[in-house]
Amino acid sequence: MSVTNFNTDLFRDLTFDLLSDISHGSTKFDELTQTYLNKIHERIDGDELRKYTREIYEKILSLQIVQTNPRAQLKDLMHGNIVLVYFWTFSDIKVSHTIHKVIGIDRRYSNAGVTVICVHSPKYEHEKNKANIKHDIEERSLPFTVVNDSGRLVWKHVGCQLWPTVLVFGPDSLPIYIFEGENHVQHLERFLVPVLAHYKSSLCPILNNSLATTNSSEDVATIKAASKVKDFRYPSHICVTSNKLLYISFAGSNQLVLCDIDGKVIDIIGNGNVGMADGDINQAEFDSPHGLVEFNSCIYIADTNNHSIRVFDPNSRRVLTMIGTGCLGTDKIGGLEGIQQPIASPWDLCITESPFDSKTVLLISMTGHHQIWAYAFEETQWWKDVILKKNSCSSIIGSGFEEKKNSSEPLSACLASPCGICNGIMNGEPVIFIADSNSSTIRVVTLNDGHVTNLVGGNADSTNLAAFGDLDGTGHHAKLQYPIGVAFHYPSSYLYITDAFNNKLKRVDMKTLLCSNYFVTDNDKKKTRGETNSSKFYEPHGIAILDHFLYVADKNNSHIKRIDLDHGTFIRHRFDLSETLNEERSFRSKKAYLAIFLDDALKLRDGNAGTWTIEDEDGLKICDGELTHHVPHKILLDYVSRDKQVRSLKYELILCQDDKCTMMNGVVQPVNQTDSIIEFTIKIDQIETTKCG
C-alpha cells in the first residue's frame, strides 16, 4: 500500500487528461503541453508528488544492476536530469516495436540532460536471469542503464499493467508523464521535447554519457569471452538449399552467412550496418534478420526490425526489398502489392502450395500482428472463398488479437507472437505447424480448410498466456516456455521444436502426439579450450532438416549445431569472421531504380529474364546486370556515382504469354534523376510474335 496520497492511478489520470485535450485540439500541442507542465509545478501537493518519485527511485536502487554508466553511479543519474523509467521484458514483441524509439532518445538527448533507466520486469522464468538479460542487451546494442526487477518489485509498486510502460520524471523529482502500451510509447519523443525546453535552465547533464557493462567479479569471465568473439553473434534461423548449402541469419551482426553443410563459410551477405539498403552483398543492410526460405534459387529473408521481406539472388549477388515499407505497419488485413504493403515484425517464412490450385505461396509468421500472412507469386485460390491476388500480401490466419483461441474460421482464431512456421503432415492431411511463442504452444492449421487447433502446450483458457513450463506429455499436459523454431521430419513423422526459454530441443511424435525432450550426445572432437563437454542449448532458435541431419541455431551460444537424427549425436559449427573484410558502403552515389509494368497476360521468363545496361551522356556503359522473374515492380539496379549524368537504360526482356516466349529490346530515358536517385520505367502492353530461340 502506498505511503503517499499521490499514486499511479492519479498519475494516469493526469496524463490521460492531457492526451484527451490534445486529441481534441492537436494544433494546440505546444500550448496544451506547456499549460500541463505549469499545472504540475503549481500543484499544492508537490511534496507528495516528489515523495511518490523518490519511493520509486529507492526501489530501483535496490535492484540488481545489469548495465550502468561507468562515469556515474545510478543514484547520481536520478538528480539534475529528466529521467525516463522504461519497463520492459525482452520476449515481448511490443517492446521490440518501441525500444528503438528509446534508443534514439538516449542517443539524441543523453548529453542534453535525459537519462534512461530500463527496468527489466520479466514474464518468463528464463527472463529473470541476469546473464540472459545481458545477452539480449548485447544483441540489441542497448546503450543505457538496465536493472533487473526479477521479482517485479518495482513493477508491482508502480502498478504497471502492460509492457512497455514509461514513466517520465523531472530533474526536480516531479512526475510528468506515464505512457502505457505500444501506441503511446511510440509518441514519447514528441512529448519529451517541451519537457526539455521547460527544464532547460535546471538540467545538469553528464556529458559523454556512454555506457559499459559493469565489471563485477561475476562478469569478468563473460567479458573476456565476449572480447574474443569477432563478428558473428546470435544466429537466429537456418535455411538448407536445394543444392545442400546453408544460409544462416545472424541477428546480432545483421548479416547472412552462406556456408557448406560442414560449416565452411563461402560468402557473407550484408555489411553488418543496421539499415535497409538494397544492393550487392557489400552494400545490403539488415536490421535483425530472422527467418529464411528458398524459392526458385533465391533466398527470402524476414527482416524483422525493418518490417520487410527481402530477397537475395545468388546469381546477381544482390539483395532487394520485396514486401514492406520499412516502417511498422498497423494494417491487419493487407491486400496491397509488395513494397506498398506495410507489415509488422515478420519472423519466419515458409513456402507452401495452395490446397486448391497447387500454386506456390510464401507464408509469413507476422509476429507483430499475431497473425500468419501470405504472399502470392501469382493469383491463387486459398481456402474455399479466398483469392490471393498476384504479388499481394494478405493476412490469412489470426484476428490480430493476442490470445490462443482456436477456430474453424482461420481469421477468427487468435495467435500470440507466432515466431515459427513449417509444413507437415497430421492424420494424413497437409498442415501448417506454428510455434505460437507467447502462448507457449504449438498450433496446427489444416491446409484444406484453415481449421486452427492446439497441438501441445498451454491450457484450455484461451486468454491465459502464462501457462508455460517444462513437462513432457500430450496436449495441454505438455508444457513449453516460449518455443520459437519448428521443423517436420517426414520420414519419421516427428515435429522438432526449439523450446527456447527452456534451453531444450523437443519433438512431437505425430503417431502418439506425445511431446518429449530430445536428448543428444556431444560427439564434437574439435573443442577449443574452455568449451564444455555438454550438449546443452542456450536459447535455441531456428531449425532446419536435411536428410537425417537437423541444424539448430543455438543463439546465445553463437553456434550452429548439426544433429544426426539416426544416432542422436551432434557437433558444433563455429564461425570466424576475422579473415573476412566487408567493404564500406559509399554514400557518394545515387540509387538507380527500374519499374516494370506488364499486361496481366504477360510475365518475365523464369530464371534469366533479360539484361539491362545504364549508359552515360556519351553513350558509355556505367553498369549492367541481369533480371530475374521474381523481382517486385520497383527494382534497385545499382549505385551510380553522383558525378555521372545518366542518359538512358537499354534493356532486353524475355517475355512469356502462355507457352510462347519472345525477346523484346528497347531504350528508355530516366523519368526522374536527382543527386540521390535515378528512376526508369518500362511499360509493355503486348509482345511481338517473333519466337525466342
Side-chain angles (χ1 to χ4, degrees):
M1 185 173 65
S2 176
V3 298
T4 70
N5 292 325
F6 184 81
N7 55 40
T8 300
D9 286 336
L10 294 175
F11 197 5
R12 287 190 181 99
D13 291 343
L14 288 174
T15 305
F16 177 81
D17 289 344
L18 172 64
L19 297 176
S20 179
D21 290 343
I22 290 172
S23 69
H24 292 97
S26 57
T27 59
K28 299 181 179 180
F29 177 83
D30 292 339
E31 178 184 340
L32 291 170
T33 52
Q34 188 56 55
T35 300
Y36 173 84
L37 292 171
N38 289 337
K39 287 182 178 179
I40 291 286
H41 284 80
E42 293 168 359
R43 288 177 63 111
I44 60 173
D45 59 347
D47 289 341
E48 294 296 315
L49 272 64
R50 292 182 179 89
K51 192 172 183 180
Y52 168 83
T53 302
R54 286 196 296 269
E55 287 181 356
I56 294 174
Y57 284 173
E58 287 170 3
K59 291 190 179 297
I60 290 174
L61 290 170
S62 71
L63 300 178
Q64 181 186 45
I65 294 175
V66 183
Q67 176 170 277
T68 190
N69 191 318
R71 292 180 172 83
Q73 295 187 20
L74 179 56
K75 64 180 181 180
D76 295 330
L77 298 175
M78 297 172 173
H79 303 289
N81 290 279
I82 296 167
V83 178
L84 308 186
V85 179
Y86 179 79
F87 290 90
W88 66 303
T89 185
F90 65 73
S91 66
D92 194 275
I93 192 63
K94 296 180 289 297
V95 167
S96 297
H97 291 167
T98 57
I99 201 164
H100 70 283
K101 297 279 189 181
V102 183
I103 292 172
I105 287 171
D106 180 83
R107 288 175 177 165
R108 285 187 287 275
Y109 301 109
S110 61
N111 288 338
V114 175
T115 290
V116 176
I117 300 173
C118 268
V119 180
H120 188 267
S121 304
K123 170 183 175 179
Y124 294 95
E125 287 296 318
H126 179 81
E127 294 177 297
K128 296 179 179 180
N129 186 284
K130 177 182 177 182
N132 300 339
I133 302 170
K134 286 165 69 71
H135 276 293
D136 191 76
I137 290 171
E138 183 176 324
E139 183 179 347
R140 298 181 197 256
S141 300
L142 301 186
F144 29 65
T145 296
V146 179
V147 294
N148 182 15
D149 189 16
S150 59
R152 295 210 279 189
L153 173 72
V154 184
W155 171 278
K156 293 173 183 176
H157 174 80
V158 172
C160 294
Q161 298 175 343
L162 69 165
W163 297 280
T165 291
V166 177
L167 309 181
V168 181
F169 300 104
D172 52 6
S173 296
L174 286 176
I176 306 298
Y177 305 125
I178 177 170
F179 294 114
E180 298 175 289
E182 177 183 347
N183 292 336
H184 286 164
V185 175
Q186 291 281 3
H187 304 290
L188 174 61
E189 185 170 355
R190 185 187 182 197
F191 285 86
L192 184 62
V193 172
V195 178
L196 275 164
H198 184 86
Y199 281 110
K200 185 176 181 180
S201 61
S202 56
L203 293 173
C204 301
I206 299 173
L207 299 180
N208 300 318
N209 192 13
S210 62
L211 295 183
T213 305
T214 54
N215 293 352
S216 62
S217 57
E218 62 183 290
D219 297 329
V220 171
T222 302
I223 294 170
K224 286 183 177 179
S227 67
K228 296 179 181 179
V229 177
K230 298 300 180 183
D231 298 311
F232 283 171
R233 295 306 309 271
Y234 302 110
S236 177
H237 282 68
I238 306 169
C239 172
V240 182
T241 68
S242 54
N243 56 352
K244 297 187 177 181
L245 296 175
L246 300 181
Y247 282 88
I248 305 156
S249 59
F250 280 79
S253 60
N254 300 301
Q255 293 171 304
L256 308 186
V257 170
L258 169 62
C259 64
D260 63 21
I261 59 173
D262 294 318
K264 181 180 178 181
V265 175
I266 299 171
D267 222 337
I268 300 166
I269 299 96
N271 59 25
N273 296 331
V274 174
M276 198 179 165
D278 288 342
D280 66 34
I281 61 172
N282 295 320
Q283 297 170 325
E285 297 171 341
F286 302 98
D287 190 354
S288 196
H290 287 97
L292 307 170
V293 71
E294 181 192 32
F295 178 61
N296 277 351
S297 299
C298 291
I299 304 301
Y300 292 76
I301 307 149
D303 196 7
T304 304
N305 287 352
N306 277 324
H307 311 292
S308 64
I309 305 299
R310 318 286 291 282
V311 185
F312 172 65
D313 183 348
N315 293 321
S316 65
R317 290 164 59 84
R318 300 182 69 81
V319 175
L320 302 171
T321 301
M322 187 179 79
I323 306 170
T325 63
C327 298
L328 174 65
T330 58
D331 177 11
K332 296 184 179 181
I333 299 174
L336 299 179
E337 292 188 4
I339 57 175
Q340 298 175 354
Q341 178 61 58
I343 58 178
S345 298
W347 201 281
D348 199 12
L349 304 173
C350 173
I351 291 289
T352 195
E353 291 185 351
S354 164
F356 296 95
D357 57 19
S358 300
K359 292 181 180 178
T360 301
V361 170
L362 175 68
L363 299 182
I364 307 165
S365 60
M366 203 69 73
T367 309
H369 284 333
H370 313 293
Q371 294 175 309
I372 304 298
W373 285 44
Y375 176 85
F377 295 94
E378 52 187 323
E379 187 171 291
T380 304
Q381 183 179 358
W382 191 261
W383 311 142
K384 291 182 178 179
D385 55 350
V386 177
I387 300 295
L388 303 177
K389 295 181 180 178
K390 179 181 178 181
N391 296 332
S392 68
C393 190
S394 310
S395 61
I396 58 169
I397 303 170
S399 65
F401 292 103
E402 188 177 17
E403 292 183 0
K404 60 176 192 293
K405 175 186 173 185
N406 297 320
S407 177
S408 59
E409 297 293 331
L411 288 174
S412 297
C414 296
L415 306 175
S417 295
C419 285
I421 187 170
C422 74
N423 294 302
I425 299 290
M426 183 174 178
N427 299 325
E429 298 284 338
V431 298
I432 301 165
F433 293 109
I434 301 170
D436 200 32
S437 301
N438 206 34
S439 69
S440 295
T441 64
I442 303 298
R443 315 289 287 281
V444 58
V445 183
T446 307
L447 262 180
N448 289 330
D449 56 14
H451 192 175
V452 181
T453 57
N454 193 77
L455 181 64
V456 292
N459 64 15
D461 183 355
S462 65
T463 64
N464 184 0
L465 300 182
F468 56 85
D470 184 11
L471 292 173
D472 293 353
T474 59
H476 294 313
H477 297 291
K479 289 292 181 284
L480 308 170
Q481 187 180 182
Y482 211 83
I484 287 182
V486 283
F488 189 75
H489 188 234
Y490 284 86
S492 65
S493 292
Y494 276 110
L495 175 69
Y496 287 87
I497 305 163
T498 53
D499 194 4
F501 285 2
N502 281 322
N503 300 314
K504 290 182 177 181
L505 182 64
K506 296 185 178 181
R507 66 182 183 180
V508 179
D509 185 341
M510 298 309 298
K511 301 181 184 71
T512 64
L513 301 184
L514 175 66
C515 178
S516 59
N517 287 307
Y518 181 62
F519 297 101
V520 293
T521 303
D522 189 344
N523 198 35
D524 189 357
K525 305 299 184 183
K526 298 181 180 180
K527 297 182 185 66
T528 59
R529 184 177 180 180
E531 288 186 333
T532 60
N533 185 17
S534 170
S535 57
K536 291 182 179 179
F537 297 96
Y538 195 176
E539 267 191 46
H541 270 50
I543 48 178
I545 294 176
L546 173 64
D547 299 328
H548 64 283
F549 291 109
L550 177 70
Y551 291 85
V552 182
D554 194 12
K555 185 173 75 77
N556 284 2
N557 279 325
S558 288
H559 290 156
I560 301 298
K561 291 177 177 174
R562 187 179 71 185
I563 298 171
D564 185 335
L565 296 177
D566 287 345
H567 300 94
T569 59
F570 85 92
I571 64 171
R572 300 175 183 85
H573 289 326
R574 303 167 183 81
F575 301 92
D576 183 2
L577 288 186
S578 58
E579 298 179 0
T580 303
L581 299 177
N582 290 323
E583 298 177 7
E584 294 184 1
R585 175 185 172 189
S586 171
F587 289 92
R588 298 184 60 189
S589 60
K590 47 190 174 184
K591 295 180 180 180
Y593 287 99
L594 171 62
I596 301 176
F597 298 95
L598 304 177
D599 184 82
D600 289 341
L602 305 178
K603 68 175 183 177
L604 294 175
R605 188 178 73 176
D606 290 353
N608 183 3
T611 62
W612 56 269
T613 302
I614 294 177
E615 296 183 347
D616 66 13
E617 54 191 349
D618 297 321
L620 300 177
K621 182 180 76 172
I622 298 175
C623 55
D624 60 4
E626 296 181 350
L627 293 171
T628 53
H629 79 288
H630 70 273
V631 294
H633 289 317
K634 188 175 181 181
I635 311 161
L636 175 62
L637 299 178
D638 210 337
Y639 289 81
V640 176
S641 171
R642 288 182 180 177
D643 300 329
K644 294 287 187 180
Q645 188 66 23
V646 173
R647 183 178 71 180
S648 62
L649 177 141
K650 292 183 177 179
Y651 65 87
E652 290 183 344
L653 300 180
I654 302 175
L655 301 173
C656 298
Q657 184 173 1
D658 298 325
D659 296 329
K660 182 185 294 184
C661 292
T662 300
M663 178 177 287
M664 296 189 66
N665 55 54
V667 180
V668 292
Q669 295 179 338
V671 295
N672 180 35
Q673 185 168 187
T674 68
D675 287 339
S676 60
I677 193 172
I678 313 162
E679 294 179 298
F680 298 95
T681 298
I682 298 174
K683 296 182 179 179
I684 299 177
D685 296 323
Q686 60 183 3
I687 59 177
E688 301 171 359
T689 58
T690 304
K691 191 170 183 179
C692 176

